[in-house]
Amino acid sequence: MEKLTGLKKIKTAVFISGAGSNLKNIIKFSKIKKSPISINLIISNTHLAKGLRFADQFKIQKKLFNFKNFKNTERNILLLLKKKKIKFICLAGFMRILSKEFIKKFDGKIINIHPSLLPKYKGLNTHIRAIRNNDKFAGCTAHYVSAKLDSGKIILQKKIKITTKDNPTSLAKKILKLEHKLYPTAIMKIFN
Ligand code: GAR
């Protein structure tokens, strides 16, 4: 990836659709001295995203895009990113698929966290699929976003054992905890 590092932190946008625990975690990480990024914008595709409250809590600009007209929406997002001088994007539980044209504009500068050991279980319902398949391990993956869903280059993975006591809810909880460790480590890895 083109070197983005310098003395200043890299202006970053986080895209969310849900609870925003990864968002909160990334914001906290961004505030420590060694973090290469600062969070300057939060984008959501739904006002139902509970994570939007972290924008208010941490005084970060937030913007809602409803994606009804996909092309227009992406164009408007790109304009806002340009205006805010955003150079890096973290997807954190963002449940929309971005177009390949959009991804091309931020080539190699969009990353995502996914709750499975990719390439296993791209898409949704990863935990139940891992349990149903009697997998011994589950985990999460930080990866670059490419035009193909959950298929970009892997940055880092973390795994845990699936126990006989696990159900999709307990596994999701454990993996989310793991995600909170993995995402900042992946960001550090990229910029070092
Ligand atoms: C996380 O488990 C994340 O990996 C997953 O959504 C959850 C969001 O939680 N993302 C995907 O499934 C993307 N395909 P959060 O809103 O609390 O960060």
Side-chain angles (χ1 to χ4, degrees):
M1 162 155 89
E2 178 199 332
K3 265 271 180 240
L4 287 170
T5 40
L7 283 176
K8 279 194 184 149
K9 292 193 179 188
I10 296 143
K11 291 193 179 200
T12 299
V14 183
F15 288 28
I16 62 163
S17 303
S21 70
N22 275 292
L23 165 68
K24 184 183 180 196
N25 184 57
I26 296 169
I27 294 174
K28 284 195 161 169
F29 161 72
S30 74
K31 290 183 180 299
I32 66 172
K33 201 175 167 207
K34 67 169 186 185
S35 163
I37 63 166
S38 61
I39 307 304
N40 301 79
L41 181 64
I42 295 161
I43 285 179
S44 176
N45 63 311
T46 166
H47 69 278
L48 298 174
K50 291 214 174 87
L52 282 169
R53 72 196 153 105
F54 297 121
D56 304 325
Q57 188 181 327
F58 292 95
K59 299 192 172 42
I60 298 168
Q61 185 184 345
K62 65 175 180 220
K63 185 87 183 161
L64 217 71
F65 290 95
N66 65 20
F67 280 82
K68 272 190 186 137
N69 179 330
F70 202 87
K71 264 199 164 159
N72 267 345
T73 300
E74 285 198 335
R75 206 175 28 234
N76 289 333
I77 294 178
L78 283 170
L79 283 173
L80 179 61
L81 295 174
K82 197 168 176 193
K83 192 173 148 207
K84 298 275 298 171
K85 297 191 167 57
I86 300 291
K87 301 283 186 246
F88 191 64
I89 297 172
C90 293
L91 306 185
F94 183 63
M95 294 315 208
R96 296 295 306 221
I97 297 171
L98 297 164
S99 72
K100 64 172 184 292
E101 290 77 22
F102 184 98
I103 293 165
K104 228 174 160 182
K105 290 259 162 56
F106 268 78
D107 197 21
K109 297 181 181 74
I110 310 178
I111 64 170
N112 182 40
I113 185 106
H114 184 76
S116 81
L117 295 169
L118 289 173
K120 268 195 161 180
Y121 312 129
K122 296 170 184 175
L124 299 174
N125 305 317
T126 54
H127 310 107
I128 199 163
R129 286 153 76 197
I131 289 174
R132 278 200 186 137
N133 282 343
N134 288 319
D135 286 358
K136 288 200 165 59
F137 293 95
C140 51
T141 305
H143 65 95
Y144 287 100
V145 172
S146 69
K148 240 174 128 194
L149 181 70
D150 298 329
S151 300
K153 193 175 168 226
I154 290 172
I155 304 158
L156 276 180
Q157 283 186 320
K158 249 184 192 297
K159 67 177 182 179
I160 42 157
K161 262 203 162 132
I162 303 179
T163 71
T164 48
K165 283 187 197 145
D166 273 319
N167 56 50
T169 313
S170 70
L171 193 58
K173 228 174 158 177
K174 280 200 250 177
I175 290 178
L176 201 56
K177 247 187 164 171
L178 219 56
E179 291 181 31
H180 297 160
K181 287 204 184 115
L182 187 75
Y183 217 162
T185 316
I187 294 167
M188 288 299 287
K189 186 179 172 196
I190 289 175
F191 293 107
N192 275 333

